[in-house]
Every structure is written in structure tokens, then in C-alpha cells.
Amino acid sequence: MYRILIVEDDRGIAGAIQGAAAAWGFDARSTENFRDVAGEFAAFQPHLVLMDIGLPFFDGYHWCREIRRTSNVPVIFISSASDNMNIVMAMNMGGDDFIAKPFDLSVLIAKIQALLRRAYDYAPAAPMLEHRGARLDTGDQSLAVGGEKIPLSKNEYRILFSLLEKKGQVVSREKLMEKLWETDSFVDENTLTVNVNRLRRKLDAAGLEGFIATKFGVGYLVE
């Protein structure tokens, strides 16, 4: 998981960035001690830094210079001071990119991904399917609820994926069995029921009671 250090004294902006970064699978942390940004950098060892220019005690240029003494980690400056002089200064002080406030979070995430890709041969995270705090990662086929990983069998993953993909719609038992047949194992009505019940027990244990609803005689859905 890529780590991102957010050096931004506006807590609202820092929190919004942290939330957006976490949604994309990054481990994002906001600076707490603006007297010792270099110390927090050394302790966290981020793969990328988002650096505001106007900061308490010392400005972002100062901290970028300090970081550059020991690291070539990508640095993106974020600032409302977006005149040409500040942009040139940011690049001359060791910055890799500049984004002006106010900015669209999706644009910021795209810039982060582009820099990580160039610096670390990073590949974007696989899509996530989310509902009621449950996050199904289609890359490693894992389920996370409240930060806890829930192990899934291949059949359980295919059932949950099919239901989340059609969230709010009933998925017939026949369609689910077709999905399970893709695992190269024969699945009959009874096997499907066993797998759904096993998946429900795991979801219930994670605090997601009633996550999968039954439409009798038709199939199942996630509402």
C-alpha cells in the first residue's frame, strides 16, 4: 500500500484529501506537528508528499528543501498562491508538480497516480465494489469490513460480486449458478444454497446482518 503524507494546515482540506486517498487504497496521513515536518516524514516514510506552501512556522518551500536532503520522493505542491512565480519557485525547490486550490479531488488523485506510476512503476488499484461499509476488492478478490479482512472462497466471492454488481436488483438463482460454473465445478441448487448461507454467516459475523435479501422463488439481492 502506497503511503501519502499530507502537509496541509487546513484540517478540512486535509481531511477531504485523506478520505479520497483512502478510497483509492492509499495509506494517507496528515501532518500533526508543523514544527517538525521533516521528523514526521522520516517516521512515516511516505511514497509521495502533498505539500501546501503557506504553513505555520516554516513554509512548504523550506520543508521541501529539507526532504530533498535525504529523499527523491515525489512532491506535489498544493496552494491557492497559483501565480507563475510560486509555481516556478515550487519546481525550483524540488517539487514535481503543482495543483492550485480549489481543486477537484479526482484531478488530484489522477496526478498522484501519474507520479507514483512514473516513480515506482505503480499500477492503479483494481476497482472496489462497496456497500454498507463492505469493500469487495476485485483485484485480490478479498472482502474488507471496517478494516478487517473477511476470507472468501472462490464461490462466495463470485456470489457476492454478482450481487454487488447488480446492487438493488434481484439476481436469479440460475444466473448465480452460471457464475459458479465458471469455477469449473458443477453447482446444483443445493450447493448454491449452501454457499449463500455460508456467505451470510460470514457477513452476519462482521456486523452486516441482512446484507443479502431473498426474493423467494426468484433469487437474491443486495439492497
Side-chain angles (χ1 to χ4, degrees):
M1 181 181 291
Y2 287 88
R3 296 181 297 278
I4 298 173
L5 181 64
I6 304 165
V7 188
E8 166 61 69
D9 61 325
D10 185 312
R11 293 304 180 190
I13 294 175
I17 295 172
Q18 194 166 345
W24 279 90
F26 298 117
D27 180 9
R29 180 180 298 179
S30 296
T31 298
E32 296 293 334
N33 183 2
F34 290 97
R35 291 182 183 273
D36 188 22
V37 172
E40 294 205 6
F41 173 87
F44 189 42
Q45 290 292 300
H47 296 92
L48 182 142
V49 177
L50 297 174
M51 180 77 71
D52 191 14
I53 293 175
L55 296 169
F57 309 113
F58 301 97
D59 63 22
Y61 299 138
H62 168 83
W63 292 120
C64 189
R65 287 196 303 271
E66 290 299 302
I67 288 170
R68 283 289 171 260
R69 293 178 189 276
T70 59
S71 174
N72 288 320
V73 64
V75 175
I76 300 177
F77 277 95
I78 51 175
S79 177
S80 56
S82 58
D83 57 274
N84 289 341
M85 180 60 71
N86 275 290
I87 295 172
V88 170
M89 280 280 290
M91 299 300 105
N92 287 340
M93 292 299 159
D96 297 277
D97 205 342
F98 188 104
I99 185 167
K101 300 176 186 176
F103 49 78
D104 187 297
L105 285 170
S106 62
V107 173
L108 179 63
I109 294 296
K111 284 180 174 285
I112 288 171
Q113 290 176 330
L115 267 178
L116 290 175
R117 192 158 46 242
R118 290 198 293 269
Y120 307 106
D121 193 25
Y122 158 78
M128 296 274 189
L129 295 175
E130 300 186 49
H131 183 60
R132 284 179 54 188
R135 293 161 55 93
L136 187 67
D137 188 326
T138 62
D140 62 9
Q141 300 190 356
S142 65
L143 176 67
V145 180
E148 180 184 354
K149 288 276 189 176
I150 310 298
L152 298 177
S153 70
K154 188 178 292 186
N155 282 348
E156 291 164 355
Y157 167 78
R158 287 183 181 271
I159 291 169
L160 190 55
F161 176 85
S162 299
L163 296 175
L164 286 172
E165 188 181 34
K166 300 291 186 181
K167 186 167 58 178
Q169 304 175 43
V170 177
V171 180
S172 70
R173 292 177 62 85
E174 290 75 17
K175 287 291 184 184
L176 288 175
M177 284 191 288
E178 286 176 16
K179 281 287 185 183
L180 299 191
W181 285 332
E182 293 173 12
T183 63
D184 299 325
S185 61
F186 176 74
V187 177
D188 59 15
E189 291 272 349
N190 184 61
T191 306
L192 174 61
T193 301
V194 169
N195 277 275
V196 170
N197 288 340
R198 187 182 298 126
L199 176 58
R200 276 177 164 154
R201 285 196 294 272
K202 289 182 178 182
L203 293 167
D204 288 349
L208 295 173
E209 293 86 356
F211 194 86
I212 298 174
T214 300
K215 292 297 181 183
F216 291 100
V218 184
Y220 306 94
L221 80 158
V222 167
E223 295 180 299

